[in-house]
């Protein structure tokens, strides 16, 4: 794609801004900021990856993945503002998910141990885990608020923190996994995913592209389950004070 063609893609942003102004949605500033950030961030990571692919330094590879985990954890943890220590728990959940996926893929020889494979699949895995963690925290806040009376009654009857909040945990985990499961059911029929589409556009054999996409779909499903379940186990105590009273975090 030429730079001129790339510049013309700003028409899509212009249409979005116009629609926001027309409908008085007030999203113009966020759209413009998001446009600039996306362009700068993608160009920056493109330069970093170009250098990384050439040098093949393992330590630099680890630092890039760690930075991706840190940023993902920070963004997802904003959904749990008011819960002290939630950032660390989200980071641990995402890091554990990334480690599990990479160990399986590399250990079983499914992908090569090159930066091209590791960075690309890590980015998709971490991004998916970030979305799942954010959805989980968002659902937990709504569910705990809606079930406050029930949870406090169980605490008054002598239930432990885990027993009192167990149903909310289950509902939040289930809700956070629904988009991943729905995407799994409709992939190839309703949507052609980005990785497969990109490989086909680049000239790869469609069946080879499909194999890689199956890998990503299955990995996403596993990462969604591990992230949400692990985060629920690590964070449920944060919803209670030391004297076992329910803590309600601030609304977004």
């Amino acid at each position: 794609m030429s730079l001129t063609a790339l510049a013309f893609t700003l028409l899509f942003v212009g249409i979005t801004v116009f629609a926001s102004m027309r409908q008085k949605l007030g999203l113009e500033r966020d759209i413009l900021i998001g446009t600039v950030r996306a362009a700068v961030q993608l160009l920056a990571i493109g330069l970093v990856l170009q250098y990384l692919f050439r040098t093949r330094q393992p330590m630099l590879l680890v630092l890039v993945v760690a930075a991706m985990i840190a940023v993902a954890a920070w963004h997802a943890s904003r959904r749990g503002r008011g819960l002290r220590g939630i950032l660390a728990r989200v980071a641990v959940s995402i890091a554990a998910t990334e480690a599990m996926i990479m160990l399986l893929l590399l250990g079983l020889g499914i992908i090569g141990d090159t930066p091209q494979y590791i960075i690309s699949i890590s980015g998709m895995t971490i991004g998916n885990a970030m979305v799942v963690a954010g959805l989980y925290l968002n659902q937990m806040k709504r569910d705990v608020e809606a079930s406050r009376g029930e949870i406090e009654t169980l605490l008054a009857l002598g239930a432990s923190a885990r027993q009192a909040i167990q149903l909310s945990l289950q509902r939040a985990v289930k809700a956070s996994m629904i988009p991943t499961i729905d995407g799994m059911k409709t992939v190839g029929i309703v949507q052609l995913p980005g990785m497969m589409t990109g490989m086909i556009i680049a000239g790869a054999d469609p069946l080879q592209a499909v194999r890689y996409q199956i890998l990503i779909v299955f990995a996403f499903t596993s990462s969604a389950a591990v992230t949400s379940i692990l985060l629920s186990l690590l964070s449920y105590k944060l919803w209670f004070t030391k004297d076992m009273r329910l803590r309600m975090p601030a609304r977004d």
Side-chain angles (χ1 to χ4, degrees):
M1 180 186 292
S2 66
L3 290 177
T4 302
L6 186 61
F8 278 126
T9 60
L10 290 173
L11 288 171
F12 297 115
V13 178
I15 292 171
T16 309
V17 170
F18 175 77
S20 177
M21 294 174 63
R22 184 76 174 176
Q23 297 298 319
K24 298 180 181 180
L25 301 177
L27 295 174
E28 300 86 359
R29 183 173 179 272
D30 289 336
I31 292 170
L32 293 175
I33 291 174
T35 300
V36 173
R37 284 187 59 177
V40 171
Q41 289 166 185
L42 287 172
L43 287 172
I45 195 61
L47 293 173
V48 170
L49 291 178
Q50 189 177 54
Y51 173 76
L52 185 62
F53 292 169
R54 289 174 180 171
T55 58
R56 297 172 65 93
Q57 295 183 13
M59 196 59 204
L60 187 57
L61 180 63
V62 171
L63 289 175
V64 170
V65 173
M68 293 164 69
I69 291 172
V71 173
W74 179 75
H75 275 283
S77 64
R78 294 174 66 187
R79 298 291 183 181
R81 280 183 295 185
L83 295 174
R84 185 176 298 177
I86 192 62
L87 174 58
R89 286 161 175 79
V90 172
V92 169
S93 300
I94 295 176
T97 300
E98 161 67 5
M100 181 200 74
I101 296 296
M102 281 297 113
L103 284 174
L104 285 174
L105 293 179
L106 293 172
L108 296 175
I110 298 173
I111 63 171
D113 59 347
T114 60
Q116 287 93 327
Y117 286 108
I118 295 174
I119 291 293
S120 300
I121 294 179
S122 290
M124 288 185 282
T125 301
I126 294 169
N128 184 64
M130 177 189 70
V131 172
V132 170
L135 289 172
Y136 168 80
L137 291 173
N138 217 29
Q139 178 62 30
M140 271 298 291
K141 288 174 72 174
R142 289 199 299 262
D143 201 284
V144 168
E145 186 174 358
S147 306
R148 183 171 187 173
E150 176 187 344
I151 295 172
E152 290 179 338
T153 299
L154 289 171
L155 290 173
L157 293 173
S160 65
R162 177 68 181 275
Q163 291 170 332
I165 206 171
Q166 180 65 27
L167 290 178
S168 293
L169 294 176
Q170 291 174 346
R171 287 191 287 262
V173 167
K174 186 181 295 185
S176 68
M177 291 182 62
I178 285 175
T180 302
I181 295 172
D182 284 350
M184 191 179 187
K185 292 176 180 177
T186 59
V187 66
I189 299 176
V190 176
Q191 58 173 327
L192 294 178
M195 184 177 186
M196 186 178 88
T197 303
M199 290 181 67
I200 292 173
I201 292 174
D205 177 58
L207 290 179
Q208 186 70 12
V210 166
R211 291 174 188 170
Y212 277 103
Q213 191 57 58
I214 290 173
L215 161 66
I216 296 301
V217 169
F218 291 173
F220 273 14
T221 305
S222 177
S223 68
V226 172
T227 301
S228 57
I229 293 172
L230 185 56
L231 183 56
S232 71
L233 295 174
L234 292 175
S235 65
Y236 75 89
K237 289 184 179 179
L238 300 181
W239 298 91
F240 301 92
T241 61
K242 290 182 179 180
D243 57 353
M244 290 297 291
R245 287 185 298 168
L246 188 62
R247 178 184 283 123
M248 298 301 300
R251 293 173 178 240
D252 293 330

